[in-house]
Amino acid sequence: MSLDDKLDKIRSPKLENQRETAIILSAVEDTLREQKHNQTPTAYFAALLALLGQAVTLSNGTVNKDLASSVIYLLDLVIAHVPPAILRSKFSQILTTIAPTLTSQDANAPLVRSSIGCLQSLLVAQDTPAWALPQTQVSPRRAIAGLLTLASDQRPKVRKRAQDAIAHVLRHPPPTPSLDHPVADMCAETALKTLSDTLAVANASKRRSKDSMQEHHQPGLMHALQLVRTISSASGSWPSKKIEPLCEILMGVSRSNNEYLTMGAFEVFEVMFRGMADQFSSSKLPRLMEAISELKPSQNDSQLLPPWIAVISRGYDVSAQIDPEGTFHKLPELFRTVSEFLSSAALEIRVSASECLISFLVNCVPESVIVEPSVFDETTLEKLAQLATDLLSVKFQAAWMEVFNVEAAFFEALRWRASTLARNIITTIGELRASESFNGKKEADVVLGKAIQSMGPEAVLGILPLNLAKSQKGVPGRAWLLPILRDNVINTNLSHFKFEFVPLSEAMYQRVIDHDESEKTMEVKIFETIVHQTWALFPGYCNLPLDLVPAFDQGFAELLSNLLYSQPELRADVCRGLQTLVESNREILGVEANEQEILLRSRITKTTAQTNLDHLATYAGNLLAVLFNVYSQTLPQFRGYILQCINTYLSITQEKVIRLSAWFSSANHEQELLETFARVTEMLEAALKDVASQLKPAKQQVKEPNPDQMPPTSHTLMDLIITLSIYLPPPTFLQLFTLTSRILPLTNDPQLQKKAYKLLPRLATSANGAMALRNRNQDLQSLLLSSASTASAPARRDRLLALATTIGHLPPSDLYFIPSVLSEAVIATKETNEKARIAAFDVLVLMGRKMSEGGSIEQSRIPHMDAAASMVKANLEEFFTMVSAGLVGETPHMVSASITALTRILYEFHGQLQRNVIEDLVSTLILFLTSNNREIVRSCLGFTKVIIVSLPTELVQPKLETLIPGLLGWSKEHKSRFRTKVKHILERMIRRFGVGEVEKWCPDDGKKLVQNIRKTRERKKRRKAERIGEEEEEDEDKRATRKGRFESEYDEAVYGSEDDEDSDAASSNDDRAPRSKGPHPRTASVHAKGTYITELADDEPLDLLSRDALSHISTSKPVRFKPRAARKAKIDLDGKLLFGEDADGNTSAGDAMAVDAHEDPGDGTLEGGIDAYVAAIRGRDAVQRGRGGRLKFSNKRKRGADEMDVDEEEEEVGVGMERREKSGKGGFGKRVEKGGRGRGGRGGGVKKRGDPKVQRKGLGVPRSRDGRGRK
């Protein structure tokens, strides 16, 4: 922005605080005009500098803040446009004048920020001799010292402005041979001292105070880190002499528990590395990396070691960008150093170490080493492979998850070079994966998958053979490798599949055949599964094969053809593989990259890919014949992949024809296409005669489709013609249009009609087809208009797409076709089928665009129009008039469809219509809100929502007076969700026009709804604000939470105690989750992270030096099931078996069949039996006779009796009665008041037969009431 533009904004201020600045600017300009000076930046500068002398008194340092703020604000705008020579000559005067505004205690933030801006422009203009002056004089160095002080100011905007000014000055050094700015060392030293002093104060305060919250609020330290980051990013990295002390301080800061301080330290390192990535500052990187390496923390320091590892990782990433070869040769030593941390007991250290190793492999292995390695490079790769193999030793068993991630990255980095280096890794992981007790099978599968992608399946299977075809005793089968191969085979040799897996499939299939028609056993099903899994590998082998030309020969093509014919269950894999052969090579031809990048990624060049496609094109004719036959024999639901494969091979056949025609005659290939098309067309014409001869009444044609029945031959042949159409030469298009004209009038076969409509959009996708559509557009228009009455409902969507294709190729003189089919498109917007509705909307938009391009409409050519009708000019307004004609339709359905159509095209073209057209349309459609027909109103509500959302405010606001009462008239209608829609529209109105504007036009009975919407919005805002506040408080609580006292889980498990855990749990204030029973959660987590050794089956000790030792080491406690010991039968002295007693005759307490050992009534003894009888007839629970000889039973509860002595049946009945009581109904649907009396009873409601409350109890059993026994 120029100076004049900036001053123009000040001359016409919009804010109150800018008015005084505008007055001063006006006074300065009046003075310049009076003195007849031009209004140049220099003139402004001189006038403002003189005015500043009046605002600042140099003798006592007083500042007139009101005047100085405006003057320095204007000076900040002007000084950047003043010539540097003037600024250098006036440096002392300007600095001494501005200095009081920077040092004054009463200076506000805007005044200080403007002063800093002036100082920035003044410093950038200084030359090398000026920067050489000492700080003791009035020099630029003294000004920089003031800026460094302000860069740690407590005011955020002042601090940010000062840091930006320092960065700007350092990025614009004076002409000098040095890489750094003359004052860069001074800035670095000052910032480093500020950071060091602040850190020392923070550490001392931390030791004195026990408040953990103090550590999380250290603004001074954060400000010092920001200053260091600013200087480092601005001066082309940190000065070389100050690297070592800065690294030491930053590593100390990163040990803090405050995550923001740690992140700030990392950002400084990141800025330093980023600044050293260019060739000018790269010389500082070795010194920086050496300083960081010397600060290596302790082996088990879980706080400092992860950040140190992260810094090392980022540093060597930058080093690899500057010196790829040198960094790669250092990689083995770095790998060995970092891999030692994987043996740590702390999970954080192990994760950081694994991520660092992955970063080394991804960033520090150059592409040249993979493509053309030297002898030294191969030696380095061998060292890396040995180190990667050592990671699988028992030493690193606790980090097996992290180790597997590193191994996967190793295979990705070395690509095919790993085939000769990583055999031991594959062997070890394969043995671990085959072990039943190994818990890391999923992670091992990922590593093996990466190995298959990089090395190829042939190399992996050479190390881990499948052993399926010829199984040997003692050699395990590895069928589990087949799914891994299926997901990861790519860019390998197709001949390996041909000679390895085809024989395996034949052997397994032969075993299936040997069982004849007998019932399938599990073994036969396994053989069938292996056959399917084997051919599931075929698409992967077809993805960029390296040997396609020699491997894909006539014999292999015949094998695939036989499979397509004989084994339908394998057709999907074979077709997908054949399709992948073409598409993967074609993708290489479309890649925009140099040959080396393509070779590194896929190991084939564009020339090889083109050769592969030419080779496949020689087999395309025979393959297409096979695919055509197979397609005709396949059910419709399984045809999709076959049709895609046919389309793919037709495409390479056409490419072959086009390519050969440029060099010599391509009659053979074109002749093959024509012969195929002629055969298919001849068969289709014969089938159409059968269809025409089998006409039946419409009622007899409606049948449920049978998914297991083959479709008619005409459907199959029409699918093939649609697929062939875009590859045919132009002379055949006449025959295509003839076929279409014969099929469209057929009303007895809707599916065939639907396929015929699909032909036109298909032709439009090719250049020859689009030309034919333009040339024969007149015939197409007549055909579509004549077939409108015979179009079936299933074909409506495809007919709309055919209409869109025809309209897209209309010449400007034939626009009469648009009004001829307009009513059909409008009615289709109300179709039940969603795809048909979308197609109708697209046709309407296409019509509008075609009309907006201009042209003429001969109304006399429109069906049912007068032959003397005049010609109309085509434009958008005329199109809207045509659509609006449907508003006077005879049926509500037509009116509703017209409103929906107008809504769609208004949303699309409202920016191109005149304002009066939109106003008339809106006024007309708003009137339909008063209609009594719900279908019309529903469409009108959609129109209302569109105009509120899309039209300008000044156009809609005058309509609110009519619109809002019309809407509120339907606000109480619940059918068709009218109330919800009206409420949503009102919400959008309130959001756009405000509550006051909406309430102004609301009738009295509708204001309640508006008030409800307003209150709901305010409630949501309050809840959102409360939720944000709660989240901030939770973040503060999380930051204030004390971390664990132990550096690792192992130390906590060994040295921790339950008292410590209880105290930690008691100090937690998280009361949202209920305490769960069982072990303490921290104790449980500690035990869960322990390590266990699984005992061997033969009780042999585990050999920790064996290869499979890791598979017997688990992180979860293994459970060993011991066989139940046989117990000796218990018998008495007479030899009878005893139940419920031990060997000494005592009753077992846990035996459910045991009875009380005391001789109580009913204990099984003779005395007990007598006592039970006496208790039954004379006891407290005995039956007694009352008045009239009636039997009376005691219902008194014994002391100590079980209060819940009910069985399951009683509980179910009780639940049912309780439900009936709650509902106020008794049994049999009668109303029973709670506590009242029912018919024939004394209360409690009607009692159901079978209720335990009324059944007679056994002798000695107390009667229960309401589930409680009473004596």
Side-chain angles (χ1 to χ4, degrees), residues 418-435:
S419 58
T420 58
L421 300 172
R423 296 183 63 88
N424 293 334
I425 299 176
I426 299 297
T427 303
T428 304
I429 295 179
E431 292 175 355
L432 293 174
R433 175 62 176 78
S435 176

PDB file of all heavy atoms in Angstrom, residues 418-435:
ATOM      1  N   ALA A 418      17.077 -54.965   0.143  1.00  0.00           N
ATOM      2  CA  ALA A 418      16.972 -55.754   1.374  1.00  0.00           C
ATOM      3  C   ALA A 418      16.933 -57.255   1.111  1.00  0.00           C
ATOM      4  O   ALA A 418      17.075 -58.048   2.039  1.00  0.00           O
ATOM      5  CB  ALA A 418      15.712 -55.340   2.137  1.00  0.00           C
ATOM      6  N   SER A 419      16.737 -57.669  -0.146  1.00  0.00           N
ATOM      7  CA  SER A 419      16.616 -59.100  -0.435  1.00  0.00           C
ATOM      8  C   SER A 419      17.882 -59.872  -0.110  1.00  0.00           C
ATOM      9  O   SER A 419      17.828 -61.047   0.239  1.00  0.00           O
ATOM     10  CB  SER A 419      16.246 -59.297  -1.908  1.00  0.00           C
ATOM     11  OG  SER A 419      17.221 -58.689  -2.743  1.00  0.00           O
ATOM     12  N   THR A 420      19.043 -59.240  -0.205  1.00  0.00           N
ATOM     13  CA  THR A 420      20.305 -59.923   0.118  1.00  0.00           C
ATOM     14  C   THR A 420      20.831 -59.575   1.504  1.00  0.00           C
ATOM     15  O   THR A 420      21.826 -60.162   1.939  1.00  0.00           O
ATOM     16  CB  THR A 420      21.367 -59.544  -0.928  1.00  0.00           C
ATOM     17  OG1 THR A 420      21.529 -58.106  -0.940  1.00  0.00           O
ATOM     18  CG2 THR A 420      20.952 -60.018  -2.306  1.00  0.00           C
ATOM     19  N   LEU A 421      20.170 -58.645   2.190  1.00  0.00           N
ATOM     20  CA  LEU A 421      20.705 -58.181   3.473  1.00  0.00           C
ATOM     21  C   LEU A 421      19.846 -58.585   4.666  1.00  0.00           C
ATOM     22  O   LEU A 421      20.352 -58.613   5.792  1.00  0.00           O
ATOM     23  CB  LEU A 421      20.811 -56.641   3.455  1.00  0.00           C
ATOM     24  CG  LEU A 421      21.713 -56.032   2.379  1.00  0.00           C
ATOM     25  CD1 LEU A 421      21.562 -54.516   2.372  1.00  0.00           C
ATOM     26  CD2 LEU A 421      23.170 -56.408   2.621  1.00  0.00           C
ATOM     27  N   ALA A 422      18.600 -58.873   4.448  1.00  0.00           N
ATOM     28  CA  ALA A 422      17.676 -59.040   5.576  1.00  0.00           C
ATOM     29  C   ALA A 422      17.150 -60.463   5.703  1.00  0.00           C
ATOM     30  O   ALA A 422      16.050 -60.678   6.207  1.00  0.00           O
ATOM     31  CB  ALA A 422      16.510 -58.060   5.427  1.00  0.00           C
ATOM     32  N   ARG A 423      17.900 -61.453   5.272  1.00  0.00           N
ATOM     33  CA  ARG A 423      17.427 -62.834   5.371  1.00  0.00           C
ATOM     34  C   ARG A 423      17.263 -63.262   6.827  1.00  0.00           C
ATOM     35  O   ARG A 423      16.295 -63.949   7.182  1.00  0.00           O
ATOM     36  CB  ARG A 423      18.403 -63.771   4.648  1.00  0.00           C
ATOM     37  CG  ARG A 423      18.506 -63.524   3.153  1.00  0.00           C
ATOM     38  CD  ARG A 423      19.439 -64.536   2.500  1.00  0.00           C
ATOM     39  NE  ARG A 423      18.928 -65.886   2.641  1.00  0.00           N
ATOM     40  CZ  ARG A 423      18.093 -66.468   1.785  1.00  0.00           C
ATOM     41  NH1 ARG A 423      17.668 -65.800   0.725  1.00  0.00           N
ATOM     42  NH2 ARG A 423      17.672 -67.700   1.985  1.00  0.00           N
ATOM     43  N   ASN A 424      18.191 -62.860   7.670  1.00  0.00           N
ATOM     44  CA  ASN A 424      18.090 -63.249   9.081  1.00  0.00           C
ATOM     45  C   ASN A 424      16.886 -62.603   9.764  1.00  0.00           C
ATOM     46  O   ASN A 424      16.256 -63.202  10.643  1.00  0.00           O
ATOM     47  CB  ASN A 424      19.373 -62.862   9.819  1.00  0.00           C
ATOM     48  CG  ASN A 424      20.565 -63.670   9.358  1.00  0.00           C
ATOM     49  OD1 ASN A 424      20.409 -64.800   8.882  1.00  0.00           O
ATOM     50  ND2 ASN A 424      21.760 -63.104   9.471  1.00  0.00           N
ATOM     51  N   ILE A 425      16.564 -61.371   9.360  1.00  0.00           N
ATOM     52  CA  ILE A 425      15.391 -60.712   9.939  1.00  0.00           C
ATOM     53  C   ILE A 425      14.125 -61.471   9.570  1.00  0.00           C
ATOM     54  O   ILE A 425      13.261 -61.735  10.419  1.00  0.00           O
ATOM     55  CB  ILE A 425      15.322 -59.249   9.455  1.00  0.00           C
ATOM     56  CG1 ILE A 425      16.563 -58.472   9.909  1.00  0.00           C
ATOM     57  CG2 ILE A 425      14.057 -58.578   9.964  1.00  0.00           C
ATOM     58  CD1 ILE A 425      16.607 -57.052   9.384  1.00  0.00           C
ATOM     59  N   ILE A 426      14.003 -61.843   8.300  1.00  0.00           N
ATOM     60  CA  ILE A 426      12.824 -62.587   7.855  1.00  0.00           C
ATOM     61  C   ILE A 426      12.730 -63.926   8.572  1.00  0.00           C
ATOM     62  O   ILE A 426      11.654 -64.352   9.013  1.00  0.00           O
ATOM     63  CB  ILE A 426      12.882 -62.785   6.327  1.00  0.00           C
ATOM     64  CG1 ILE A 426      12.878 -61.435   5.618  1.00  0.00           C
ATOM     65  CG2 ILE A 426      11.707 -63.626   5.861  1.00  0.00           C
ATOM     66  CD1 ILE A 426      11.636 -60.636   5.833  1.00  0.00           C
ATOM     67  N   THR A 427      13.864 -64.606   8.717  1.00  0.00           N
ATOM     68  CA  THR A 427      13.859 -65.914   9.384  1.00  0.00           C
ATOM     69  C   THR A 427      13.397 -65.792  10.824  1.00  0.00           C
ATOM     70  O   THR A 427      12.550 -66.562  11.302  1.00  0.00           O
ATOM     71  CB  THR A 427      15.270 -66.531   9.328  1.00  0.00           C
ATOM     72  OG1 THR A 427      15.684 -66.628   7.963  1.00  0.00           O
ATOM     73  CG2 THR A 427      15.267 -67.915   9.958  1.00  0.00           C
ATOM     74  N   THR A 428      13.936 -64.822  11.539  1.00  0.00           N
ATOM     75  CA  THR A 428      13.578 -64.671  12.956  1.00  0.00           C
ATOM     76  C   THR A 428      12.111 -64.312  13.127  1.00  0.00           C
ATOM     77  O   THR A 428      11.397 -64.903  13.948  1.00  0.00           O
ATOM     78  CB  THR A 428      14.459 -63.578  13.589  1.00  0.00           C
ATOM     79  OG1 THR A 428      15.843 -63.915  13.401  1.00  0.00           O
ATOM     80  CG2 THR A 428      14.166 -63.452  15.067  1.00  0.00           C
ATOM     81  N   ILE A 429      11.644 -63.355  12.331  1.00  0.00           N
ATOM     82  CA  ILE A 429      10.243 -62.953  12.460  1.00  0.00           C
ATOM     83  C   ILE A 429       9.314 -64.084  12.033  1.00  0.00           C
ATOM     84  O   ILE A 429       8.244 -64.288  12.624  1.00  0.00           O
ATOM     85  CB  ILE A 429       9.986 -61.676  11.648  1.00  0.00           C
ATOM     86  CG1 ILE A 429      10.778 -60.504  12.246  1.00  0.00           C
ATOM     87  CG2 ILE A 429       8.500 -61.324  11.609  1.00  0.00           C
ATOM     88  CD1 ILE A 429      10.621 -59.205  11.506  1.00  0.00           C
ATOM     89  N   GLY A 430       9.706 -64.854  11.011  1.00  0.00           N
ATOM     90  CA  GLY A 430       8.890 -65.990  10.600  1.00  0.00           C
ATOM     91  C   GLY A 430       8.774 -67.045  11.686  1.00  0.00           C
ATOM     92  O   GLY A 430       7.705 -67.625  11.894  1.00  0.00           O
ATOM     93  N   GLU A 431       9.867 -67.317  12.395  1.00  0.00           N
ATOM     94  CA  GLU A 431       9.811 -68.289  13.485  1.00  0.00           C
ATOM     95  C   GLU A 431       8.953 -67.786  14.635  1.00  0.00           C
ATOM     96  O   GLU A 431       8.200 -68.541  15.261  1.00  0.00           O
ATOM     97  CB  GLU A 431      11.227 -68.591  13.968  1.00  0.00           C
ATOM     98  CG  GLU A 431      12.069 -69.349  12.951  1.00  0.00           C
ATOM     99  CD  GLU A 431      13.502 -69.519  13.417  1.00  0.00           C
ATOM    100  OE1 GLU A 431      13.844 -68.958  14.481  1.00  0.00           O
ATOM    101  OE2 GLU A 431      14.271 -70.198  12.722  1.00  0.00           O
ATOM    102  N   LEU A 432       9.062 -66.495  14.922  1.00  0.00           N
ATOM    103  CA  LEU A 432       8.206 -65.938  15.976  1.00  0.00           C
ATOM    104  C   LEU A 432       6.737 -65.997  15.568  1.00  0.00           C
ATOM    105  O   LEU A 432       5.863 -66.338  16.377  1.00  0.00           O
ATOM    106  CB  LEU A 432       8.600 -64.482  16.249  1.00  0.00           C
ATOM    107  CG  LEU A 432       9.974 -64.241  16.871  1.00  0.00           C
ATOM    108  CD1 LEU A 432      10.245 -62.748  16.930  1.00  0.00           C
ATOM    109  CD2 LEU A 432      10.033 -64.831  18.265  1.00  0.00           C
ATOM    110  N   ARG A 433       6.453 -65.674  14.323  1.00  0.00           N
ATOM    111  CA  ARG A 433       5.061 -65.669  13.858  1.00  0.00           C
ATOM    112  C   ARG A 433       4.458 -67.068  13.876  1.00  0.00           C
ATOM    113  O   ARG A 433       3.254 -67.235  14.128  1.00  0.00           O
ATOM    114  CB  ARG A 433       5.022 -65.080  12.437  1.00  0.00           C
ATOM    115  CG  ARG A 433       3.669 -65.113  11.748  1.00  0.00           C
ATOM    116  CD  ARG A 433       2.655 -64.304  12.510  1.00  0.00           C
ATOM    117  NE  ARG A 433       1.375 -64.241  11.848  1.00  0.00           N
ATOM    118  CZ  ARG A 433       0.456 -65.201  11.844  1.00  0.00           C
ATOM    119  NH1 ARG A 433       0.693 -66.339  12.509  1.00  0.00           N
ATOM    120  NH2 ARG A 433      -0.691 -65.055  11.219  1.00  0.00           N
ATOM    121  N   ALA A 434       5.258 -68.099  13.634  1.00  0.00           N
ATOM    122  CA  ALA A 434       4.736 -69.462  13.594  1.00  0.00           C
ATOM    123  C   ALA A 434       4.481 -70.031  14.979  1.00  0.00           C
ATOM    124  O   ALA A 434       3.812 -71.062  15.106  1.00  0.00           O
ATOM    125  CB  ALA A 434       5.701 -70.365  12.827  1.00  0.00           C
ATOM    126  N   SER A 435       5.010 -69.391  16.009  1.00  0.00           N
ATOM    127  CA  SER A 435       4.827 -69.901  17.363  1.00  0.00           C
ATOM    128  C   SER A 435       3.413 -69.597  17.844  1.00  0.00           C
ATOM    129  O   SER A 435       2.911 -68.489  17.686  1.00  0.00           O
ATOM    130  CB  SER A 435       5.853 -69.262  18.310  1.00  0.00           C
ATOM    131  OG  SER A 435       5.632 -69.667  19.635  1.00  0.00           O
TER     132      SER A 435
END
